[in-house]
Amino acid sequence: MKVKTAEFVISNTEVSKCPTDGLLEYAFIGRSNVGKSSLINMLVGNKKLAKTSGRPGKTQLINHFIINNDWYLVDLPGYGYAKTSKTNRIKWEKFIAEYLTTRKTLINIFVLLDSRLEPQKIDLEFMNWCGEKGLPFSMVFTKIDKLSSTALQKNLALYKKEMLKYWEELPPVFTTSSVSSFGQERILNYIDQINASFK
Ligand code: GDP
């Protein structure tokens, strides 16, 4: 798929205010600084579409972008850990969970993972949560230009091993670099194939 047009549509915190035209949508989520804005901008070939970390505060919303007037790319706020007295638990705005679990046109959640890191508890918890809710997701490893292919393969294997402790099958796995645009074509083609299967 070639991205011909990518336009901002609306930002909000309420699912009821999200677009209602029924177009399919694909959400991108991950911990803050994972490289989400850079990846979105790389995918659509527009360096300014999603705001990168340099401009904080802009991403605590559900952001809808329309691509080729055909499907929505949804930029979600990052999740983090809330340190409570006894345990760490995933901290995120309630509206994100509501969006993810109730949005009927949401086809796939791209969960962004920093390829330089060994499996992180918070990311595993988030993916397990998606699995428990029956939400289709893919694993997208970011910043692969920052490590050797040996180190990358090691972290990928560790992630796969962790995931297979909980699930019988692995979700689709993508490796990406916003610097080299590696992974762009595969992700766009993946989306294209799903869109085509609905037509
Ligand atoms: P976000 O908070 O998840 O939206 O993350 P950003 O897209 O703002 O990226 C966080 C930092 O990582 C920025 O300094 C980016 O320049 C850097 N970054 C993001 N993606 C890549 C990548 O693929 N390769 C490299 N080398 N740096 C990246």
Side-chain angles (χ1 to χ4, degrees):
M1 183 206 312
K2 288 249 179 308
V3 172
K4 293 182 190 133
T5 56
E7 290 154 50
F8 169 75
V9 178
I10 195 168
S11 289
N12 59 67
T13 56
E14 284 172 50
V15 190
S16 61
K17 291 188 183 156
C18 290
T20 53
D21 52 19
L23 293 179
L24 303 184
E25 63 194 46
Y26 298 81
F28 290 76
I29 195 168
R31 267 177 311 147
S32 128
N33 230 31
V34 69
K36 178 169 52 76
S37 311
S38 304
L39 180 84
I40 290 172
N41 292 335
M42 178 276 269
L43 284 177
V44 304
N46 176 345
K47 289 200 171 68
K48 290 187 188 150
L49 195 70
K51 312 287 183 229
T52 47
S53 299
R55 286 186 272 173
K58 292 282 200 300
T59 51
Q60 294 309 310
L61 296 163
I62 303 168
N63 303 293
H64 275 76
F65 299 95
I66 191 161
I67 311 299
N68 294 345
N69 287 321
D70 187 39
W71 57 276
Y72 289 112
L73 185 160
V74 182
D75 181 6
L76 293 175
Y79 48 76
Y81 258 139
K83 275 211 166 150
T84 61
S85 55
K86 283 186 187 149
T87 57
N88 285 328
R89 60 183 176 79
I90 292 187
K91 175 181 176 289
W92 58 1
E93 304 294 340
K94 236 176 157 181
F95 67 82
I96 310 175
E98 195 195 331
Y99 163 81
L100 291 171
T101 51
T102 63
R103 184 75 172 157
K104 294 212 166 54
T105 46
L106 176 63
I107 294 300
N108 187 58
I109 303 164
F110 288 102
V111 182
L112 274 54
L113 307 158
D114 191 324
S115 65
R116 296 170 301 175
L117 306 177
E118 292 188 356
Q120 301 290 297
K121 195 164 167 250
I122 187 168
D123 294 319
L124 294 167
E125 279 179 15
F126 178 70
M127 290 188 285
N128 282 340
W129 179 88
C130 289
E132 281 158 18
K133 301 280 176 195
L135 303 170
F137 66 94
S138 308
M139 297 163 79
V140 178
F141 290 90
T142 61
K143 309 187 189 182
I144 64 160
D145 58 284
K146 286 203 172 196
L147 73 176
S148 69
S149 70
T150 316
L152 173 65
Q153 291 312 321
K154 183 176 155 248
N155 285 343
L156 290 181
L158 287 172
Y159 255 106
K160 288 177 183 174
K161 193 174 156 204
E162 280 302 315
M163 292 297 285
L164 290 172
K165 283 185 187 168
Y166 305 99
W167 307 101
E168 281 178 16
E169 279 179 64
L170 283 176
V173 173
F174 298 93
T175 48
T176 66
S177 163
S178 303
V179 172
S180 70
S181 291
F182 188 89
Q184 181 196 38
E185 207 175 318
R186 252 194 88 212
I187 292 184
L188 290 177
N189 286 344
Y190 180 71
I191 293 172
D192 202 25
Q193 277 176 11
I194 299 177
N195 286 343
S197 73
F198 276 82
K199 284 183 176 145

